[in-house]
Amino acid sequence: MKRIGMLTSGGDCQALNAAMRGVVKSITNAERDVEIYGFLEGYKGLIYGNFTMLTGKDFSGILTKGGTILGSSRTPFKLIREPDENGLDKVEAMKQNYYKLKLDCLVILGGNGTHKTANLLREEGLNVVTLPKTIDNDLWGTDMTFGFQTAVDIATEAIDRIHTTADSHGRVFIVEVMGHKVGWLTLNAGMASGADIILIPEIPYDIDKIIDKIHERTERGSKFTILAVAEGAISKEDASLSKKEYKEKMKNYAYPSVSYEIADKIREKSDYDVRVTVPGHTQRGGSPCPYDRVFASRLGSEAGKLILKGEYGFMVGIKNREIIKVPLEEVAGKLKSVSADASIVKEAKMLGISFGD
Ligand code: F6P
């Protein structure tokens, strides 16, 4: 008999269900006697003992379904050691629920914050296997996270559609892509859709360089310019501020997001007709693309294999197209960001794409 607890934590993404289905199918194909405890809304479910019993049937027909059948929520790692409003020790509560249900292991699907807590639970003695989800693709230790490729498809389509209307009206269009800390999604969607300027958090921009690029395109006869801008894009001036100074400045921030600020600055310094489009959470919604369905299923299958063998304390991931396992302590707390020297950035620059630097 195997007793498996499962939860999805943090911002959702496509293929969470496909990944869970992969785990459950691979285990139930090998072993009949399995109990699955689905904790609801992420770590909250584990803390407060809120779970539902699931069988193989619950994982049938969900390969293509977006979202997560378990629900999700954010439980910030920095608050995990702080008691809740009723004085409950959250880490102790999670451990107690794990032992009370006599679980063999926890399967945790999540991104960066989720992995820090998963590693903490491992340090506390629980058996944990994790799967890397996030549209940001910013988890260290894996070349790819599931959800990313689908989000690239969605953001690319948004920019593709903007191209035709930008051309008709001769406008400068800014499409804001998700990603507060890293620019993988913006970089890939921007390149896939032929954006002229790509702004990402890792490469601070100079507004004059952006305007120079638009002028250059106009002089060459282009009627329009497309900017793919990450939510977390930052100007050179802001990047030079200390954390404290930046926080202070943001208290009086007048814009809904960085794209509107960039649009205003372009308008102040030129006569271009500028528009902003924010696809927002559409990038996280709907059915996973075929790549993510296969990838999440492969990861689920590998996680199932580890559980059957009783090998715990790993995140499953992919390196050079091979599914691998990485020790959780190596993954937790590390971000995989875009380096300004990365070959993909150099290649994009060779194509004439400006990063505003
Ligand atoms: O981490 C995934 C992500 O979609 C980021 O790209 C984005 O900045 C953030 O989550 C949005 O979070 P929320 O859904 O809480 O608004």
Side-chain angles (χ1 to χ4, degrees):
M1 154 78 78
K2 280 236 179 275
R3 288 195 180 84
I4 297 163
M6 196 176 272
L7 64 89
T8 53
S9 173
D12 74 345
C13 72
Q14 303 88 350
L16 276 163
N17 291 324
M20 289 191 278
R21 171 184 173 272
V23 177
V24 172
K25 266 191 179 291
S26 60
I27 295 173
T28 51
N29 268 335
E31 200 165 313
R32 292 244 156 257
D33 220 3
V34 182
E35 279 184 355
I36 302 156
Y37 297 76
F39 293 100
L40 305 177
E41 293 176 31
Y43 286 115
K44 261 203 235 165
L46 182 58
I47 296 169
Y48 299 107
N50 197 7
F51 63 88
T52 177
M53 295 296 300
L54 301 163
T55 67
K57 268 198 185 143
D58 294 300
F59 295 87
S60 188
I62 62 168
L63 174 64
T64 62
K65 198 173 177 231
T68 156
I69 59 166
L70 296 180
S72 193
S73 67
R74 295 190 192 274
T75 308
F77 177 72
K78 62 178 179 203
L79 301 178
I80 204 77
R81 286 283 186 196
E82 286 187 19
D84 77 354
E85 56 281 12
N86 299 313
L88 180 81
D89 180 329
K90 293 175 222 149
V91 177
E92 229 16 73
M94 286 194 274
K95 284 166 66 180
Q96 273 173 26
N97 282 322
Y98 177 96
Y99 291 121
K100 205 161 64 193
L101 297 170
K102 298 191 174 64
L103 296 181
D104 288 298
C105 70
L106 282 171
V107 177
I108 298 176
L109 297 87
N112 270 299
T114 302
H115 273 78
K116 289 191 213 165
T117 302
N119 187 45
L120 174 84
L121 294 176
R122 179 196 64 80
E123 286 168 350
E124 291 287 325
L126 307 194
N127 293 330
V128 179
V129 173
T130 68
L131 290 94
K133 68 91 233 200
T134 165
I135 63 163
D136 295 341
N137 193 27
D138 59 354
L139 256 172
W140 193 91
T142 181
D143 290 344
M144 188 83 77
T145 56
F146 60 84
F148 174 67
Q149 284 299 338
T150 310
V152 169
D153 285 0
I154 297 167
T156 300
E157 193 191 337
I159 304 172
D160 283 350
R161 287 180 184 275
I162 289 299
H163 251 102
T164 57
T165 174
D167 190 16
S168 308
H169 291 271
R171 284 172 170 159
V172 171
F173 253 100
I174 301 177
V175 182
E176 187 171 289
V177 179
M178 272 189 161
H180 268 301
K181 291 189 182 145
V182 302
W184 291 113
L185 182 53
T186 309
L187 177 56
N188 281 271
M191 283 183 79
S193 57
D196 309 296
I197 300 170
I198 295 177
L199 305 181
I200 59 174
E202 296 91 333
I203 306 179
Y205 68 82
D206 174 341
I207 194 70
D208 292 325
K209 293 273 170 58
I210 294 173
I211 295 170
D212 285 351
K213 178 69 187 177
I214 305 172
H215 285 331
E216 180 199 306
R217 281 180 52 77
T218 310
E219 278 155 23
R220 286 191 186 186
S222 296
K223 276 172 66 190
F224 67 94
T225 295
I226 307 276
L227 288 83
V229 173
E231 282 174 315
I234 186 164
S235 67
K236 287 197 178 198
E237 305 91 77
D238 285 353
S240 69
L241 298 176
S242 69
K243 239 183 173 176
K244 200 173 155 206
E245 289 168 332
Y246 183 67
K247 234 180 165 180
E248 203 50 44
K249 184 178 170 186
M250 293 311 278
K251 277 187 189 160
N252 303 313
Y253 194 63
Y255 301 98
S257 66
V258 65
S259 297
Y260 294 90
E261 180 188 354
I262 294 170
D264 241 21
K265 285 187 183 154
I266 297 172
R267 288 188 198 109
E268 270 167 28
K269 294 185 173 223
S270 71
D271 294 326
Y272 294 113
D273 188 8
V274 191
R275 293 287 191 281
V276 175
T277 294
V278 183
H281 287 76
T282 61
Q283 293 161 94
R284 284 208 334 232
S287 190
C289 68
Y291 177 93
D292 272 334
R293 295 178 198 180
V294 175
F295 178 39
S297 301
R298 289 182 70 192
L299 292 174
S301 178
E302 181 69 15
K305 191 169 99 191
L306 293 181
I307 293 165
L308 288 167
K309 287 200 291 186
E311 281 188 44
Y312 302 116
F314 293 101
M315 175 187 83
V316 291
I318 190 165
K319 271 264 165 315
N320 304 323
R321 299 194 184 163
E322 292 297 327
I323 300 295
I324 50 147
K325 58 176 203 260
V326 197
L328 269 177
E329 63 266 36
E330 285 180 23
V331 176
K334 288 191 210 149
L335 205 62
K336 183 182 71 195
S337 38
V338 180
S339 155
D341 299 326
S343 58
I344 187 169
V345 173
K346 289 183 189 150
E347 287 141 12
K349 285 185 173 175
M350 288 283 291
L351 299 174
I353 296 171
S354 163
F355 285 77
D357 59 338

